[in-house]
């Protein structure tokens, strides 16, 4: 694989930051146009055809973000870079760009385990998380978590001497919660802080599922220590299972609401985790995940006709539907339907989802 040239790297940052271009649309545009530079040139035309004008993120705006990241001492990692985290390059879809502060080499390890759990954690749960993190670090495993209160913070503390990665929901400079400023500083010095969000962005509720997806994607396994039934940690566990990772849960008392989520994971088939040995016994080199495909570098296909775009739009619903199922229903080639869906996504009339699914936004 050849790393993108500097101009293409800047174009990929611009494309990733353009309104209505999420990770799935980013990948579709690269596949259709062959490069981010070509996609940026085509984007206004595609958006006009879709009936909703769209202005790409400008080069000046991208340069300002690069300067802000540089002032922090952070590094921009662009999909296609030789040092882009290989585990994240393989998830569906991969994040287009990342910011890393600290020891970015920790992101490329094949031995990483996520430890997540309740924000309002018990003293016992925090002790278990610290102990697991310390034990994993002693055998060369990098511990990944989200720098939240409770279990996340305890996991980072336990793994600081050996290597830990904190994945943020906001920008690489968004310290949340504020009382973790010292923990953030120590992770940035001894470990690595990672973010998919723009520099300077403040975390919103919608950002945490994206963060959880990266936590799961970086790791061979996810261990949930404490979690209620409606918990972000369970989202991380679900995403891990979808990505082919192992899921572990530390069993807890049925009298404690913080145990209901982990005990439910166990009922669903998660591995029991009572110590580091349980995790190490199950971990295997991740050979089942495919390498990311190269972007299509041939000429862009002919534009799809407006009638097909509207026929595709008429079949969409809030329920995610596979695009090949839409193609069958329309009697149209999958490639033409994909092109129509891309135009609908750029117009805000469709949402492209991982796994080849699409729904109304």
């Amino acid at each position: 694989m050849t790393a993108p040239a500097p101009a293409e790297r800047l174009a990929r940052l611009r494309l990733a930051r353009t309104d209505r271009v999420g990770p799935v649309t980013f990948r579709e545009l690269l596949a259709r146009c062959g490069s981010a530079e070509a996609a940026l040139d085509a984007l206004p035309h595609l958006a006009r055809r879709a009936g909703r004008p769209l202005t790409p993120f400008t080069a000046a705006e991208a340069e300002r973000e690069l300067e802000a990241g540089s002032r922090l001492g952070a590094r921009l990692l662009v999909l296609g870079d030789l040092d882009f985290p290989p585990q994240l390059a393989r998830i569906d879809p991969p994040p287009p760009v990342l910011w890393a502060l600290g020891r970015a080499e920790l992101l490329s390890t094949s031995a990483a385990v996520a430890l997540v759990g309740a924000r309002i954690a018990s003293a016992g749960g925090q002790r278990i998380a610290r102990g697991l993190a310390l034990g994993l670090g002693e055998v060369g495993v990098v511990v990944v978590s989200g720098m939240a209160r409770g279990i996340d913070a305890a996991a980072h503390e336990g793994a600081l001497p050996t290597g830990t990665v904190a994945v943020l929901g906001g920008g690489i400079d968004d310290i949340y919660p504020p009382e973790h400023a010292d923990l953030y500083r120590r992770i940035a010095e001894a470990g690595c802080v990672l973010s998919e969000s723009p520099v300077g962005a403040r975390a919103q509720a919608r950002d945490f599922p994206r963060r959880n997806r990266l936590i799961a994607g970086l790791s061979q396994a996810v261990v949930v220590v404490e979690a209620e039934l409606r918990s972000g940690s369970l989202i991380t566990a679900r995403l891990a299972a979808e990505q082919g990772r192992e899921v572990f849960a530390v069993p807890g008392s049925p009298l404690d609401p913080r145990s209901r989520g982990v005990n439910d994971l166990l009922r669903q088939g998660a591995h029991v985790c009572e110590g580091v040995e349980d995790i190490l016994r199950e971990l295997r080199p991740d050979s089942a995940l495919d390498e990311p495909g190269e972007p299509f570098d041939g000429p862009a296909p002919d534009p799809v006709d407006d009638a097909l775009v509207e026929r595709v739009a008429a079949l969409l619903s809030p329920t995610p539907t596979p695009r090949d199922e839409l193609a069958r229903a329309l009697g149209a080639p999958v490639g033409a339907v994909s092109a129509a869906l891309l135009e609908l996504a750029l117009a805000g009339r469709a949402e492209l989802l991982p796994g080849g699914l699409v729904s109304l936004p």
Side-chain angles (χ1 to χ4, degrees):
M1 179 186 294
T2 303
E8 175 65 11
R9 293 184 82 250
L10 182 66
R12 292 190 181 195
L13 175 60
R14 291 179 59 197
L15 186 61
R17 297 295 186 239
T18 296
D19 185 37
R20 302 199 296 276
V21 177
V24 178
T25 305
F26 179 94
R27 183 180 60 187
E28 295 287 331
L29 286 167
L30 280 190
R32 180 172 184 177
C33 301
S35 70
E37 291 179 280
L40 288 170
D41 290 338
L43 204 52
H45 172 70
L46 290 172
R48 278 196 302 273
R49 278 183 49 82
R52 187 173 175 184
L54 187 153
T55 302
F57 199 71
T58 68
E61 290 172 312
E63 291 288 358
R64 284 196 291 272
E65 181 172 344
L66 289 172
E67 291 169 6
S70 179
R71 285 195 297 271
L72 294 168
R75 288 179 55 195
L76 178 69
L77 302 173
V78 175
L79 183 64
D81 284 347
L82 298 180
D83 56 355
F84 192 89
Q87 295 282 64
L88 292 182
R90 297 179 184 121
I91 64 176
D92 179 23
V97 296
L98 298 164
W99 280 101
L101 178 62
R103 297 172 56 198
E105 69 273 11
L106 293 176
L107 304 173
S108 296
T109 180
S110 60
V113 169
L115 288 176
V116 296
R119 285 173 169 79
I120 305 175
S122 68
Q126 293 178 61
R127 185 175 65 252
I128 290 170
R130 277 192 299 270
L132 288 173
L134 180 62
L136 289 167
E138 287 174 345
V139 295
V141 176
V142 173
V143 171
V144 182
S145 198
M147 213 179 81
R149 298 180 179 95
I151 297 301
D152 287 21
H156 289 308
E157 291 282 0
L160 265 173
T162 53
T164 187
V165 175
V167 186
L168 307 186
I172 197 72
D173 53 345
D174 183 30
I175 302 173
Y176 184 84
E179 62 264 29
H180 283 176
D182 183 63
L183 177 62
Y184 171 94
R185 177 188 59 79
R186 288 183 290 143
I187 295 172
E189 290 175 354
C192 184
V193 180
L194 186 71
S195 173
E196 188 179 1
S197 298
V199 178
R202 295 293 171 253
Q204 307 294 320
R206 65 178 181 273
D207 296 318
F208 291 104
R210 288 193 307 125
R211 178 205 65 172
N212 295 345
R213 177 171 160 270
L214 296 188
I215 291 173
L218 277 170
S219 309
Q220 283 182 283
V222 169
V223 183
V224 184
V225 178
E226 289 182 335
E228 297 195 23
L229 283 173
R230 295 184 180 275
S231 163
S233 300
L234 300 188
I235 295 175
T236 307
R238 175 179 59 78
L239 292 168
E242 291 174 356
Q243 294 170 7
R245 276 54 170 169
E246 301 289 347
V247 177
F248 294 81
V250 176
S253 167
L255 300 178
D256 188 342
R258 289 168 293 204
S259 297
R260 290 175 183 165
V262 290
N263 290 344
D264 190 55
L265 285 176
L266 293 170
R267 281 191 290 271
Q268 295 177 43
H271 300 290
V272 174
C273 178
E274 295 180 319
V276 172
E277 297 78 12
D278 292 323
I279 303 169
L280 299 180
R281 191 181 305 119
E282 296 295 334
L283 289 187
R284 297 290 185 271
D286 196 350
S287 59
L289 299 176
D290 295 329
E291 291 289 341
E294 292 286 345
F296 175 71
D297 58 3
D302 293 333
V304 65
D305 66 87
D306 295 336
L308 180 59
V309 172
E310 294 306 319
R311 289 171 63 205
V312 172
L315 291 180
L316 298 180
S317 76
T319 302
T321 305
R323 66 184 64 193
D324 55 354
E325 186 175 312
L326 294 173
R328 280 195 298 272
L330 293 166
V334 173
V337 171
S338 295
L341 288 170
L342 178 58
E343 293 194 7
L344 289 168
L346 293 174
R349 298 172 62 193
E351 183 175 2
L352 303 182
L353 303 170
L357 300 175
V358 62
S359 71
L360 288 174

